[in-house]
Amino acid sequence: MIQTKGYAAFSATTDLSSFDFTRRDLGAHDVLIEILYCGVCHSDLHAARNEWNSAIYPIVPGHEIVGKITAVGNLVTNFKVGDLAGVGCFVDSCRTCPNCQEGLEQYCDTGAISTYNSLRLDGKTQTFGGYSNNIVVDEKYTLHVSDKLDLARVAPLLCAGVTTYSPLRHWKVGKGHKVGVLGLGGLGHMAVKFAVSFGAEVTMLSSSANKKVDADMLGAHHFALTSDAETMKNLTMKFDFIINTVSAPHDYNTYLQLLKSDGVMVLLGAPPTPSQIHAFSLLGKRRTLAGSLIGGIKETQEMLDYCAAHNIMSDIELIPMDKINEAYERMLKSDVKYRFVVDMATL
Ligand code: NAP
Ligand code: ZN
Ligand code: ZN
């Protein structure tokens, strides 16, 4: 077994604290990654605090992992020692269902194995995530990371990046489309960068007036304060797409009104409690309410390569591991610009 140092949540109500554990020995197809940076996703907080009612404690969160390969199993063909590598939200899946065969492992019929807070395919061994100094992963679920970009700023691409890239690609968002991005946090700021890069006209829809300057800097063409009734009224039926990244419960009907005929609102945010939909929010204009979960391995690699080619990275605040509890509290107050990333050298 491989000795690992990490940080874990031991219950829904206690702070994360240090946790020593072991990883499996390298199998023939596994790589060992020394983790250099790990992004802090709002899903880490939802999971650590059992907001989705799915916790298996202890939980070592973290699914925006970048690092360096330090060992490879004897049948590994795609990576070698010294390569940079990334790991996202899942580390395995059934590999045989139609979704897995199509490269949509995140929608695996039997459920992809999450990077943390999940049981491996053996049904017994718990997965532990990236708030730790190393991880063992099958090479098929490991991504190549370019050495051209700042590694700490690449880490958030492994979740926030692909989660926003994937729906924009799926719905072929680009020139001529008006896109609203709802919520300027980790996902929201990447959604703005990608939508602008794909040629869309982007409006930042935010509940925080002080984020206007940043929205401009990120490339958004317009900014709208969602608490301003007049502004919202003027935006009725203005968008082809809304990318909804809000983490807290909110009224979807309010934002569906902003869609044109045949417009689509894609839910990315996963609030802990359900929200009611009025039928008329949808049927009056043949609108669609959709959802999207991260992205498959092939698309994640495509996204990382796109970012390397177009110099797209996350805007981050680098923190030491022992500031994680403070970072969670700040994330809850929407006080993050725009992703916390843990420097694993501080573990
Ligand atoms: P984040 O950095 O905390 O950003 C969330 C943003 O939502 C905030 O910055 C804020 O933006 C807005 N917001 C928060 N509370 C709000 C409220 N009460 N009313 C209105 N707006 C509010 O979180 P994140 O990491 O981007 O994650 C966002 C959500 O996506 C989480 O629920 C997470 O679990 C989920 N997620 C889903 C996937 C997927 O595959 N679908 C992947 C990753 C994460 P403003 O200040 O601009 O209003
Ligand atoms: Zn995430
Ligand atoms: Zn499958």
Side-chain angles (χ1 to χ4, degrees):
M1 298 297 243
I2 295 165
Q3 293 301 320
T4 306
K5 277 160 63 122
Y7 248 59
F10 292 90
S11 84
T13 52
T14 47
D15 278 353
L16 275 70
S17 55
S18 69
F19 173 53
D20 291 345
F21 57 102
T22 54
R23 304 272 190 195
R24 66 176 185 269
D25 286 324
L26 241 59
H29 298 283
D30 288 337
V31 299
L32 173 64
I33 302 170
E34 179 199 342
I35 300 176
L36 299 173
Y37 300 103
C38 184
V40 179
C41 178
H42 205 113
S43 300
D44 299 351
L45 188 158
H46 288 308
R49 299 190 177 177
N50 199 18
E51 291 177 354
W52 294 327
N53 258 323
S54 61
I56 317 168
Y57 293 108
I59 295 172
V60 177
H63 57 208
E64 295 184 335
I65 299 168
V66 293
K68 199 170 258 187
I69 305 247
T70 53
V72 296
N74 55 11
L75 295 178
V76 167
T77 54
N78 206 13
F79 291 90
K80 57 181 190 320
V81 171
D83 284 355
L84 296 176
V87 181
C89 297
F90 56 91
V91 287
D92 211 343
S93 63
C94 85
R95 307 176 189 213
T96 55
C97 76
N99 285 326
C100 281
Q101 300 259 302
E102 260 188 71
L104 296 168
E105 300 90 347
Q106 75 276 32
Y107 303 123
C108 174
D109 288 355
T110 53
I113 309 300
S114 301
T115 303
Y116 61 81
N117 195 36
S118 191
L119 295 177
R120 290 185 59 207
L121 289 172
D122 64 11
K124 289 186 296 218
T125 323
Q126 200 173 333
T127 57
F128 293 121
Y131 297 2
S132 60
N133 62 345
N134 63 42
I135 190 165
V136 177
V137 187
D138 187 304
E139 67 165 332
K140 278 204 165 65
Y141 295 81
T142 307
L143 288 308
H144 285 283
V145 168
S146 165
D147 60 7
K148 281 199 230 134
L149 303 179
D150 177 346
L151 268 195
R153 297 184 59 195
V154 168
L157 301 179
L158 274 303
C159 173
V162 72
T163 300
T164 48
Y165 181 94
S166 182
L168 291 169
R169 285 304 199 206
H170 178 76
W171 275 279
K172 300 186 171 48
V173 174
K175 255 197 165 52
H177 289 138
K178 290 193 192 321
V179 175
V181 174
L182 180 59
L184 183 44
L187 264 55
H189 92 292
M190 290 311 306
V192 170
K193 289 187 188 215
F194 285 129
V196 169
S197 176
F198 299 164
E201 184 179 329
V202 179
T203 301
M204 185 68 236
L205 302 163
S206 174
S207 65
S208 310
N210 62 358
K211 291 183 183 173
K212 183 183 179 328
V213 177
D214 293 339
D216 290 348
M217 242 157 45
L218 290 164
H221 304 98
H222 315 282
F223 180 88
L225 188 61
T226 51
S227 57
D228 186 289
E230 190 62 25
T231 303
M232 291 294 276
K233 199 168 144 223
N234 290 336
L235 288 176
T236 304
M237 293 186 289
K238 286 289 186 287
F239 298 110
D240 299 288
F241 298 95
I242 294 177
I243 302 290
N244 183 338
T245 75
V246 174
S247 52
H250 59 288
D251 185 1
Y252 296 150
N253 302 289
T254 309
Y255 303 101
L256 286 166
Q257 305 305 330
L258 309 188
L259 292 172
K260 296 180 189 172
S261 297
D262 288 325
V264 182
M265 178 157 87
V266 186
L267 298 183
L268 300 181
T273 51
S275 185
Q276 283 199 331
I277 305 286
H278 296 296
F280 286 106
S281 299
L282 297 172
L283 50 85
K285 292 274 177 294
R286 199 165 60 187
R287 296 172 174 126
T288 301
L289 178 62
S292 183
L293 185 70
I294 40 178
I297 292 294
K298 186 162 165 267
E299 193 171 45
T300 306
Q301 190 63 62
E302 177 191 303
M303 178 274 312
L304 286 168
D305 296 346
Y306 182 89
C307 289
H310 295 83
N311 203 35
I312 293 175
M313 287 171 282
S314 176
D315 293 7
I316 65 159
E317 185 175 333
L318 197 61
I319 56 165
M321 190 72 255
D322 64 6
K323 286 275 189 277
I324 190 69
N325 297 300
E326 209 174 290
Y328 277 14
E329 290 310 315
R330 283 184 53 197
M331 191 154 62
L332 280 176
K333 291 187 215 134
S334 301
D335 174 24
V336 44
K337 290 187 169 184
Y338 277 91
R339 198 56 139 186
F340 291 112
V341 172
V342 180
D343 180 354
M344 282 308 154
T346 63
L347 238 189

